[in-house]
Amino acid sequence: MSVSRRDLLKLAGAAGAATVVPGAARAQALEKKEVTIAVGGQALIYYLPLSIAHIKGYFKDEGLDAKIVDFAGGSKALQAVVGGSADVVSGAFEHTINLQSKGQAYRAFAQQGQAPMIVLVVSKRTMAGYKSPADLKGKKIGVTAPGSSTNMMASFFLAQHGLKPTDVSFVGVGAGAGAITAMRTGQIDAMANLDPVISTLVKEDAVQIIADTRTLKDTHQIFGGNMPSGCLYTSQEFIDKNPNTTQALANAIVRADKWIQAASPDEIAKVVPEGYLLGDPELYKLALKGNKEALSPDGTVADDGPQTALKALAAFVPNFPADKIDVSKIWTNDFVAKANKKYPHA
């Protein structure tokens, strides 16, 4: 029987398809398509990659049905995952360290921010005569939620200046309009929060900035190195059971990270929900410019980042067992490395 060249090519194609497709399908097979992601203050620029991944359909592209549940702060989002009502947290990197200190294995697998983006401000109304951090003693400091990264940053700043967390009162004010109102009405004297909350108050001349981690330079100065911030993290058990699902989540976040870096503030402001703009699109765009450097360009955690985060945590958490923490177990770049190969561009 004679076989034409065309038939040979067809056969070769079929053979190729037979060997390639099942493997590709296996690689794509998601162990869990419906994933609940808990976040503490989704409208914050800190969590912008999560919002972009959702709005632009990147989760959907990966075959995921991602449901985002928003909480008042990162510590509340963390409770949702530990309690079993969510699968993954979009939250602050250092929570993985805190969890390990309590015997719980959680790991960050895709970064959204490479600097904390948290700004500590004092009220020009109740602290008009502010001269030094010592003036914060006995004052009320607003944070997104007690135990959240804003609380940690403020405590770390206090510790650097000889004050204990117990020297002040921390008040949970959320991450949106409620935080702005708390500052405007004098319910708090100082606040650690993020944009667009901070930029709104700065524009009104209601606050004075005393510590700022929106730039890498200031972050290195305050924390002594690279300080990872917003990331996707989950239990090691979830990663072990759902490696393809974890990879799909990392793929979506890496695409979002890259899209943000390539987009203009105008483009970003057009796609986010109107509520994120807090009634002032121009101000939001300004805040985007101010935070762009702090947003991760490709989802990768810097090698020295976990150690910096550990040092910061140990500096203000009383009796923190830093020597018992294995930082290699709280993060991995394996998933983002694959995601960057799959999506070299936005």
Side-chain angles (χ1 to χ4, degrees), residues 4-14:
S4 73
R5 186 166 179 271
R6 196 169 159 204
D7 289 338
L8 274 171
L9 286 170
K10 261 196 194 157
L11 284 166

Side-chain angles (χ1 to χ4, degrees), residues 24-150:
R26 259 201 310 277
Q28 309 275 322
L30 299 180
E31 304 85 2
K32 190 172 169 57
K33 284 185 180 175
E34 289 180 12
V35 180
T36 302
I37 303 169
V39 60
Q42 196 188 346
L44 295 171
I45 290 169
Y46 188 91
Y47 297 117
L48 184 61
L50 175 73
S51 295
I52 292 298
H54 205 233
I55 293 160
K56 301 283 287 176
Y58 296 159
F59 289 126
K60 217 170 250 172
D61 288 351
E62 299 296 327
L64 293 165
D65 176 9
K67 181 186 173 200
I68 296 171
V69 185
D70 200 5
F71 293 88
S75 54
K76 299 251 191 293
L78 159 63
Q79 284 162 17
V81 169
V82 173
S85 63
D87 304 297
V88 175
V89 185
S90 176
F93 180 88
E94 62 267 21
H95 287 309
T96 59
I97 303 172
N98 232 339
L99 284 159
Q100 196 189 111
S101 75
K102 292 167 184 164
Q104 293 173 297
Y106 279 71
R107 196 184 284 270
F109 62 89
Q111 184 168 256
Q112 298 173 78
Q114 59 179 351
M117 301 182 227
I118 299 163
V119 184
L120 186 59
V121 295
V122 294
S123 166
K124 287 194 172 180
R125 177 179 169 177
T126 69
M127 294 192 71
Y130 177 86
K131 286 186 180 65
S132 77
D135 297 339
L136 290 166
K137 196 165 184 177
K139 302 293 184 188
K140 288 180 187 165
I141 301 181
V143 293
T144 54
S148 288
S149 58
T150 48

Side-chain angles (χ1 to χ4, degrees), residues 160-179:
Q160 278 188 316
H161 294 92
L163 292 169
K164 297 189 292 293
T166 49
D167 289 332
V168 301
S169 302
F170 285 111
V171 182
V173 294

Side-chain angles (χ1 to χ4, degrees), residues 273-308:
E274 205 177 321
Y276 287 21
L277 310 177
L278 293 177
D280 193 337
E282 291 313 307
L283 183 73
Y284 185 78
K285 288 177 211 172
L286 252 176
L288 282 170
K289 278 182 197 160
N291 285 275
K292 200 153 191 183
E293 189 187 318
L295 288 160
S296 176
D298 61 3
T300 308
V301 173
D303 289 344
D304 69 323
Q307 202 57 47
T308 308

